[in-house]
Amino acid sequence: MNDERKKALNLLKTSKGQIEGIIRMLEDDRYCVDISKQILAVQGLLKRSNLNILDGHIKSCVKEAILEGQGDEKIDEIINVLDKYIK
C-alpha cells in the first residue's frame, strides 16, 4: 500500500468514527446546527481522502500509462472523476 492510500485509509477511518458520532448526536436529539457542522467536517475528510487516492493514481498508473504511450485513456478517467467531484 502506497503512502497516498495509507493517508486515505486513515482519513476514512476518522470519517467512520465521526459518522458514528453524528449518528449518536441524532439519536440524542442534539442541536441541528451542531450536527450539520459535523456532517460538513466528514464531507471534508471524504474529499481529502478522494484526493489522496487520485494523487496516488496519477503518480503511478497515469504516469506509467503516459510513459508507455497510452496516457489518453487514463487522463480521460481522471477528467471524468474530477467532473463528478465538481458537481
Side-chain angles (χ1 to χ4, degrees):
M1 182 181 304
N2 66 31
D3 286 342
E4 297 307 319
R5 284 184 177 244
K6 287 178 186 175
K7 290 176 189 176
L9 182 60
N10 286 333
L11 288 168
L12 290 171
K13 287 180 179 181
T14 301
S15 298
K16 179 182 175 184
Q18 284 191 309
I19 289 170
E20 290 168 353
I22 292 167
I23 291 169
R24 283 191 300 278
M25 290 175 78
L26 287 163
E27 292 170 344
D28 294 342
D29 202 28
R30 298 274 300 272
Y31 187 57
C32 296
V33 173
D34 292 339
I35 295 169
S36 181
K37 288 178 182 178
Q38 291 304 311
I39 291 170
L40 290 171
V42 170
Q43 287 175 331
L45 289 171
L46 292 173
K47 285 182 179 183
R48 281 194 305 192
S49 176
N50 191 30
L51 288 176
N52 285 116
I53 293 296
L54 291 175
D55 184 43
H57 181 65
I58 290 168
K59 290 177 179 174
S60 61
C61 297
V62 176
K63 179 180 177 182
E64 184 178 316
I66 290 170
L67 292 174
E68 293 174 359
Q70 301 171 356
D72 289 344
E73 182 181 336
K74 295 293 182 188
I75 292 170
D76 288 343
E77 285 178 342
I78 296 295
I79 296 299
N80 287 333
V81 170
L82 293 175
D83 183 53
K84 291 176 184 171
Y85 189 78
I86 292 170
K87 293 180 181 178

